[in-house]
Amino acid sequence: MILEALAHQYQRLIARHEPGLSPYGYSPEKISYAIVLSADGDPVDVQSLLDTSGKKPVPRRLPVPQLARTVDITAGFLWDKSAYVLGVSATSKRVEREHQAFKELHFAKLRQAKDPGLRALVSFLEKWTPGRFQSVPFTPEMIDANFVFRLDGVRGYLHESAEAHQIRMGLLADNEDEGVIAPCLVTGAFRPVSLTHPLIKGVRDAQTSGAAIVSFNLDAACSYGKKQGANAPISAEAAFAYTSVLNYLLRSDPHNRQRLSVGDASVVFWAEAQDPEQAQSCEDLLAALLSPDSKSDEGQETEKIRHVMEVVAKGRPLAELDPKLDEGTRMFVLGLAPNASRLSIRYWLCDTLGDLVQRLRQHVQDLNLEPSPWKTAPSVWRLALATAPSRGDPPKAKADDVSPLLAGELMRAILTGGRYPQSLLTNVVMRMRSDGDISGVRAALCKAVLNRDLRLSHSNVPDKEVPVSLDVHSTNSGYLLGRLFAVLEGAQRLALGSQVNATIRDRYYGSASATPALVFPVLLRNTQNHMSRIRKDMPGMAITLEKVIQEVIDKLPGEFPKHLGMQDQGRFAIGYYHQAQARFQKADKADATSNGNNDTTDTNKQGGAQ
């Protein structure tokens, strides 16, 4: 199913002449120069094909006959590096044999050619000696670069001519005749089997030379005496198609929005649509939903993404965003992870755009907290980072500390609408207890896990649902204790001001959220000392604080719980976040009122205490 979907996408992109993809038997390679030949085979010029749009010139990618070269000497057809083409190299120790192989291949295949350009190349190779590289039009910086050929006065390259393509297909057929004939698992046609598939490049942390999805090199992986790819017969054309389009989707390009990284997985996605504009609209929408904060520093782009998220969150028709968005368009999502010289499939999903958007909408709703901890909804990778330890000031997580398995399961839950991984809540709670970073993203993850579990278990008990914003009527012990902890911390900050070296959150958050009965009596006694100072300096504020503390305690059972389970510890974090943010919001309002009116009252100060 995966290879079939990739092969079909390749055919769609080739049919509309997508830049960066090559037809069967060809591949985009880095080409630096074109040798211009006269009809007699003399080099009249060497044209630079380097891309100079960046900071420094780089080779340009051109579709040329595909070359599968390992450690053996194998010449490219109508192109190659200087060692093969010209017999000149600064690194190769077998340059004479490489150049000879290039000449033998082209003498054998082009002797009977009728195309003037191909005949000119034969003449060039007959007359060429490596010593001529020292003269014009060649220069030293051309050593070890890749070359193609052109005939003087003709616009295209030699490998693009009709006869060159015909000869190239003959070369491929010669190779196929040596293989096993079997029904292709992708197309169903009886075709020569590709024993080794082209490698896939661009997967994060995989081998830079490329890795394989389909590969057999151990006897234990083979059966019935078959060798290599014959164990899973896929034709050479199908193998070329799926690997070519996968390399295209994984390409390193700042404008490539069909690829993102989540943990150790490189994720690619595409739309099944013949209309390129419709496909791009669907792919851009999915990219915005999966990674909405990827361009959060660009004001115009941020506003656009916010509008997209607003339309999606309200469940309005996608056509409001773009008339080309068809909710019935089939979408494909593939997650690949490195595994030595091979690739593992982390997840694979094919569904309609409408269903995917609905699941992503539900994911955003599950995360929703007020006040919102973010300007734009967090990407999956940003959520995964919240599960890693936070270090430094301000707290910051490292990508290497994210569990690959947890990140993969999180992505799968988002795409399928299933339960978030059970380890997610435990991981986030333990991180908050250990590093004391009770961030909005972490609180949102706790809320998302708890509410999705409740919804999927069909539990409709009102008090069990985690509120979006501060709920002063909640009677859940974990939520209430989180609120109480935030109020006690606020009293400490208010009493001691800048003299606080470490707040109660820094010292007691972990134990308070796990074993309240051991910690809260101590905290309440200490708070009386803070309240004494507040009563002297801000009596109105003291009354407000005592009222909130008493209201929360009255809703608790007779004694503080000896232990809170993992779910209640998650609610503790949410209650703490809600109460702390309410305090900050009221403080901001109080400051605004104070700045607008010199007659500051105790009421304004009271707002900042809660």
Side-chain angles (χ1 to χ4, degrees):
M1 179 63 180
I2 298 175
L3 303 189
E4 181 183 8
L6 286 167
H8 287 170
Q9 177 67 358
Y10 170 81
Q11 297 299 336
R12 281 190 293 271
L13 296 181
I14 282 292
R16 65 190 191 215
H17 306 289
E18 187 72 19
L21 273 180
S22 305
Y24 174 53
Y26 292 76
S27 63
E29 301 291 345
K30 297 177 180 179
I31 308 297
S32 300
Y33 302 98
I35 300 175
V36 183
L37 301 176
S38 69
D40 296 329
D42 295 319
V44 298
D45 192 14
V46 178
Q47 293 182 338
S48 173
L49 302 180
L50 297 173
D51 183 358
T52 58
S53 60
K55 293 183 179 180
K56 62 179 182 178
V58 294
R60 192 182 305 273
R61 285 194 174 272
L62 293 180
V64 294
Q66 190 176 31
L67 173 61
R69 181 157 56 210
T70 54
V71 295
D72 297 329
I73 294 178
T74 307
F77 183 59
L78 298 177
W79 77 279
D80 214 319
K81 58 185 178 180
S82 65
Y84 281 85
V85 173
L86 303 172
V88 178
S89 174
T91 57
S92 177
K93 296 181 180 180
R94 53 185 189 179
V95 60
E96 292 182 5
R97 289 189 292 149
E98 290 171 340
H99 183 51
Q100 186 61 31
F102 188 81
K103 291 197 295 184
E104 289 176 357
L105 171 65
H106 290 83
F107 287 158
K109 298 301 177 181
L110 303 183
R111 284 291 189 186
Q112 306 301 321
K114 298 180 180 179
D115 183 89
L118 300 181
R119 295 179 65 85
L121 177 58
V122 172
S123 298
F124 167 78
L125 292 175
E126 288 175 337
K127 296 186 289 185
W128 176 260
T129 59
R132 297 180 61 183
F133 184 81
Q134 303 299 326
S135 59
V136 177
F138 298 96
T139 57
E141 60 266 19
M142 296 178 183
I143 293 179
D144 291 324
N146 286 334
F147 291 83
V148 292
F149 294 91
R150 272 191 55 211
L151 182 63
D152 192 20
V154 178
R155 184 178 183 84
Y157 304 109
L158 296 193
H159 66 269
E160 295 176 334
S161 70
E163 188 173 2
H165 179 68
Q166 185 178 4
I167 296 172
R168 171 61 179 160
M169 292 300 103
L171 285 169
L172 292 173
D174 291 343
N175 294 332
E176 290 177 356
D177 290 341
E178 301 174 0
V180 178
I181 305 296
C184 174
L185 295 177
V186 175
T187 65
F190 277 82
R191 297 292 298 156
V193 172
S194 178
L195 295 182
T196 57
H197 296 192
L199 297 179
I200 297 163
K201 301 178 182 180
V203 175
R204 181 187 172 197
D205 295 333
Q207 292 184 351
T208 55
S209 58
I213 289 181
V214 180
S215 175
F216 299 85
N217 67 344
L218 296 174
D219 292 341
C222 301
S223 59
Y224 298 99
K226 296 177 181 178
K227 295 181 179 180
Q228 296 179 304
N231 289 276
I234 296 172
S235 67
E237 295 96 326
F240 178 85
Y242 90 78
T243 54
S244 294
V245 77
L246 200 45
N247 280 321
Y248 171 77
L249 292 169
L250 288 164
R251 69 193 185 280
S252 296
D253 184 342
H255 302 294
N256 180 15
R257 297 200 68 194
Q258 292 177 258
R259 171 193 175 184
L260 65 146
S261 295
V262 180
D264 70 335
S266 296
V267 184
V268 293
F269 49 89
W270 66 94
E272 185 182 71
Q274 296 297 337
D275 181 4
E277 292 185 357
Q278 178 186 348
Q280 183 174 353
S281 294
C282 295
E283 290 159 0
D284 285 347
L285 175 63
L286 190 57
L289 294 176
L290 288 176
S291 188
D293 54 2
S294 60
K295 294 187 177 181
S296 57
D297 292 336
E298 301 180 17
Q300 188 175 1
E301 185 70 18
T302 300
E303 288 303 318
K304 180 180 177 181
I305 291 175
R306 283 179 185 171
H307 176 61
V308 169
M309 299 303 294
E310 180 182 353
V311 170
V312 169
K314 293 181 178 179
R316 285 150 56 184
L318 298 180
E320 290 188 17
L321 294 170
D322 188 337
K324 297 183 182 67
L325 289 174
D326 181 359
E327 297 192 11
T329 303
R330 286 179 62 79
M331 304 293 297
F332 301 88
V333 183
L334 174 63
L336 298 170
N339 181 15
S341 61
R342 293 174 178 78
L343 299 177
S344 299
I345 307 297
R346 276 278 186 229
Y347 33 81
W348 163 249
L349 181 73
C350 51
D351 216 324
T352 64
L353 178 65
D355 287 341
L356 273 176
V357 169
Q358 174 59 35
R359 290 171 193 148
L360 289 165
R361 176 191 300 133
Q362 185 61 63
H363 167 66
V364 172
Q365 291 176 351
D366 287 337
L367 286 173
N368 186 29
L369 276 179
E370 291 182 6
S372 178
W374 44 70
K375 293 181 180 179
T376 55
S379 63
V380 183
W381 178 231
R382 185 177 167 192
L383 295 176
L385 273 177
T387 66
S390 293
R391 301 183 179 95
D393 187 17
K396 188 176 182 180
K398 293 184 178 180
D400 293 342
D401 293 332
V402 176
S403 164
L405 183 60
L406 180 58
E409 290 301 314
L410 174 61
M411 183 70 165
R412 188 196 304 275
I414 293 170
L415 294 174
T416 62
R419 294 177 187 269
Y420 294 106
Q422 292 302 304
S423 59
L424 180 59
L425 179 63
T426 302
N427 188 290
V428 172
V429 167
M430 296 307 293
R431 292 299 181 208
M432 289 188 291
R433 289 180 56 184
S434 62
D435 59 34
D437 181 17
I438 304 90
S439 67
V441 174
R442 285 179 167 178
L445 278 173
C446 292
K447 172 183 175 290
V449 173
L450 293 171
N451 275 358
R452 182 166 291 197
D453 282 349
L454 286 172
R455 186 175 65 254
L456 295 181
S457 62
H458 306 290
S459 176
N460 297 318
V461 181
D463 191 52
K464 286 189 176 182
E465 184 175 345
V466 181
V468 173
S469 58
L470 179 63
D471 183 5
V472 296
H473 302 293
S474 174
T475 57
N476 178 270
S477 295
Y479 187 81
L480 286 169
L481 289 170
R483 286 186 59 202
L484 179 59
F485 191 83
V487 175
L488 299 183
E489 182 191 27
Q492 181 192 35
R493 289 181 179 276
L494 196 61
L496 303 181
S498 59
Q499 300 176 21
V500 181
N501 294 322
T503 66
I504 61 171
R505 185 184 74 177
D506 300 323
R507 299 180 60 184
Y508 295 107
Y509 179 87
S511 54
S513 61
T515 54
L518 294 177
V519 177
F520 272 95
V522 176
L523 295 179
L524 287 171
R525 284 196 298 271
N526 292 339
T527 300
Q528 294 305 314
N529 298 327
H530 301 148
M531 293 301 299
S532 298
R533 176 175 295 187
I534 296 172
R535 289 190 193 97
K536 294 177 182 178
D537 299 334
M538 295 168 282
M541 185 73 74
I543 294 173
T544 302
L545 282 171
E546 290 170 344
K547 180 180 178 181
V548 174
I549 292 171
Q550 193 61 48
E551 286 178 352
V552 173
I553 291 177
D554 287 345
K555 290 185 175 66
L556 288 167
E559 298 179 351
F560 288 111
K562 294 182 179 179
H563 175 76
L564 289 181
M566 196 56 62
Q567 291 191 346
D568 279 335
Q569 289 185 49
R571 291 175 182 272
F572 185 101
I574 299 165
Y576 172 85
Y577 174 81
H578 280 159
Q579 189 67 49
Q581 291 301 312
R583 182 179 77 242
F584 296 145
Q585 281 187 316
K586 291 180 179 180
D588 291 341
K589 291 180 181 179
D591 289 342
T593 304
S594 176
N595 292 332
N597 184 357
N598 292 330
D599 186 16
T600 305
T601 64
D602 284 345
T603 305
N604 293 331
K605 295 180 182 178
Q606 291 170 11
Q610 296 181 22

